[in-house]
Amino acid sequence: MTGISYRMAGTADAAMLASLARRTFTETFGHLYKPEDLAAFLESHSTERWAEELASPGFAVRIALSEGEAVAFIKIGPPTLPFTPVGPSIELRQFYVLKPWQGAGIAPALMDWAIGEARRRGAEHLYLSVFTDNHRARRFYARYGFTEIGPYAFKVGTHVDEDIVMHLALEARP
């Protein structure tokens, strides 16, 4: 698809990102959960929470837009996953592309930005978690050199999924 532009998100984007986060998560995973579990999880994607994170220098969010409409985003921030960092680390917190734009080159552009931004911030390690059954995402991350380091219990409401924590040593890539 043509006409994709990218920019950094700011606090004025909080409502748009909250909506996009809810939409992309539901589009990708909504069919896996009871409505009450999905609704409870989506509450965490409030405009207020996004505004707090966007105002924090510890977070960075990059948005992909098509004709002015946000169609994807990637967010990095302080590590929260259950792992023991071996040095300065950043976590890839969220990474979603709406289905009509998957395969359009947006994901590699956003991932390249995230890796570069993590390095710019002095991180030597980048961590993320991915749903065990999200094979497309796991293959994508593996192409970048991410390796699996162990399972992670990811809660959606009262439902617990098994995610996989993955790691990329940033100094290993030029």
Side-chain angles (χ1 to χ4, degrees), residues 64-128:
L65 301 110
S66 175
E67 298 178 12
E69 177 190 357
V71 298
F73 72 96
I74 192 166
K75 175 170 60 173
I76 60 172
T80 60
L81 291 168
F83 62 87
T84 303
V86 292
S89 301
I90 286 183
E91 183 179 322
L92 193 164
R93 294 286 194 89
Q94 291 173 300
F95 186 8
Y96 287 100
V97 178
L98 286 170
K99 285 187 181 183
W101 288 272
Q102 290 177 5
I106 293 172
L110 290 175
M111 180 58 83
D112 290 344
W113 170 84
I115 290 170
E117 181 65 13
R119 284 188 177 124
R120 189 187 72 70
R121 290 169 175 248
E124 296 174 5
H125 304 275
L126 182 59
Y127 292 87
L128 60 84

Side-chain angles (χ1 to χ4, degrees), residues 15-40:
M16 180 265 301
L17 281 165
S19 176
L20 182 59
R22 289 188 299 265
R23 182 176 168 198
T24 54
F25 187 87
T26 301
E27 179 183 80
T28 306
F29 301 114
H31 65 283
L32 299 173
Y33 307 109
K34 295 186 289 188
E36 58 272 19
D37 285 330
L38 181 61

Side-chain angles (χ1 to χ4, degrees), residues 10-11 30 37 39 99 102 109 121 136 138 141 143 145 165 173:
T11 54
D37 285 330
K99 285 187 181 183
Q102 290 177 5
R121 290 169 175 248
R136 180 180 182 157
R138 289 173 63 188
Y141 297 135
R143 283 194 300 272
V165 176
R173 287 184 57 97

